[in-house]
Amino acid sequence: MKRKTLLNLVLFALLAVVALVFIIPIVYCVFNSVKTSKEILQQVTFLPRNVTWENYQYVFERGSKYLNYYWNTIVITFVGVLITLLLSAMAGYAFAKLPFKGSNSIMGFILFIVTFPLAALLIPIYMMEFKMGLLNTHLGLILPNVMNVLPFSVFIMRGIFMDIPDELGESAEIDGCGIFRTWWNIMLPMARNGLIIVTVFAFYNIWGEYTMGKALATQDSAMPISVALTLLKGENWNYGVLGAVITMAIAPPIAVFTVFQREMVAVMAQGA
């Protein structure tokens, strides 16, 4: 018993150290966002001595283009997540409850797409969007991002629907429900935890995506915040403004995780 307790304490200490390694840079960035440039460069401290909001004021008043980048990211992410949720829920249900000839092979091919490095797909995607006139548009970033997260999302939803007893669908059919109504009214509410996992997965991947944003959005009209952060680099870094913009960029993913953390833990505990 004592040995088990000691091992748990050691494991807890190791996990705490790993957590601090990831958390401290984020906290330091947030603290820098409320410091003056003088304090950041000349009076190097971890905690701010005098809290100031001038860096955020700069972003909202003189850095209006960064608000535009922020808005671009919001549009791309939320539309991309909604499309991913709809398609993955429909495809996952079809693979799990509506078996058809060759479904396993198609599912295997979908998962095979995940193994492709994104860099290998950039040139074909760029050429397709150039011919279709989708470069530097929101849609031109939404579609590739959905393509990037959809295969794994379909795999997750397929597993969730497979765990739902077939008898529920059969009972709905006896009561006169069609395929769509069974999916919408019976199956989808029971797949809530899977939808949450897909939401968080898609949100994180689309919100912070850099490679496709850098290649497909070179103009301010569609550039996401992940790419725009690199534009803050100049002859002199304004670390306070940089900290404010980064803080604004990481706040939504942290908020999403905070809202859905219980459901995520519940799904992982179930083995989903």
Side-chain angles (χ1 to χ4, degrees):
M1 185 67 181
K2 292 183 178 180
R3 183 179 180 182
K4 184 177 180 180
T5 303
L6 181 61
L7 289 175
N8 288 336
L9 289 174
V10 172
L11 179 61
F12 179 81
L14 290 174
L15 292 175
V17 171
V18 172
L20 286 174
V21 169
F22 286 94
I23 292 174
I24 288 177
I26 297 174
V27 175
Y28 184 65
C29 177
V30 174
F31 285 161
N32 278 349
S33 70
V34 293
K35 294 179 182 178
T36 62
S37 297
K38 181 179 179 181
E39 183 177 354
I40 294 173
L41 297 175
Q42 299 180 12
Q43 304 171 2
V44 182
T45 58
F46 185 77
L47 296 174
R49 296 181 179 179
N50 298 305
V51 175
T52 177
W53 302 103
E54 63 181 21
N55 297 315
Y56 291 95
Q57 185 178 0
Y58 176 90
V59 173
F60 282 99
E61 292 183 356
R62 288 176 288 177
S64 58
K65 61 181 180 180
Y66 291 104
L67 295 180
N68 182 58
Y69 302 143
Y70 201 80
W71 173 249
N72 290 339
T73 307
I74 291 174
V75 172
I76 293 166
T77 302
F78 278 87
V79 175
V81 169
L82 289 176
I83 295 175
T84 301
L85 280 172
L86 178 63
L87 296 181
S88 64
M90 295 177 71
Y93 178 70
F95 282 113
K97 299 299 183 182
L98 305 173
F100 53 91
K101 187 176 181 180
S103 59
N104 291 332
S105 299
I106 295 175
M107 190 68 222
F109 178 75
I110 291 175
L111 293 178
F112 178 69
I113 297 176
V114 180
T115 64
F116 274 81
L118 184 59
L121 302 175
L122 273 180
I123 294 179
I125 292 174
Y126 185 91
M127 294 176 64
M128 289 173 61
E129 294 206 353
F130 176 77
K131 293 180 179 179
M132 297 174 65
L134 294 177
L135 292 176
N136 295 304
T137 64
H138 289 156
L139 185 60
L141 286 175
I142 291 170
L143 295 179
N145 274 294
V146 170
M147 174 211 70
N148 189 35
V149 300
L150 188 58
F152 186 73
S153 299
V154 172
F155 176 73
I156 290 292
M157 293 307 301
R158 173 179 175 269
I160 294 294
F161 283 120
M162 288 182 69
D163 288 339
I164 300 176
D166 293 336
E167 289 76 10
L168 293 174
E170 294 171 357
S171 299
E173 290 181 10
I174 294 174
D175 291 337
C177 292
I179 294 176
F180 180 81
R181 190 175 177 186
T182 301
W183 169 75
W184 180 260
N185 292 336
I186 308 298
M187 296 298 182
L188 204 58
M190 299 188 67
R192 177 175 178 271
N193 285 342
L195 294 173
I196 290 174
I197 291 295
V198 170
T199 298
V200 176
F201 169 74
F203 188 96
Y204 268 62
N205 280 273
I206 298 177
W207 183 275
E209 205 287 321
Y210 175 82
T211 305
M212 287 188 292
K214 184 68 174 178
L216 305 177
T218 57
Q219 298 178 4
D220 293 346
S221 59
M223 186 177 294
I225 192 67
S226 58
V227 178
L229 286 174
T230 61
L231 302 180
L232 286 171
K233 182 178 180 180
E235 295 181 0
N236 297 311
W237 280 90
N238 190 332
Y239 290 101
V241 174
L242 180 62
V245 175
I246 292 176
T247 300
M248 293 172 61
I250 64 177
I254 292 175
V256 169
F257 177 79
T258 302
V259 170
F260 295 121
Q261 60 177 330
R262 290 185 179 180
E263 287 81 1
M264 293 181 64
V265 172
V267 171
M268 287 186 288
Q270 294 172 2

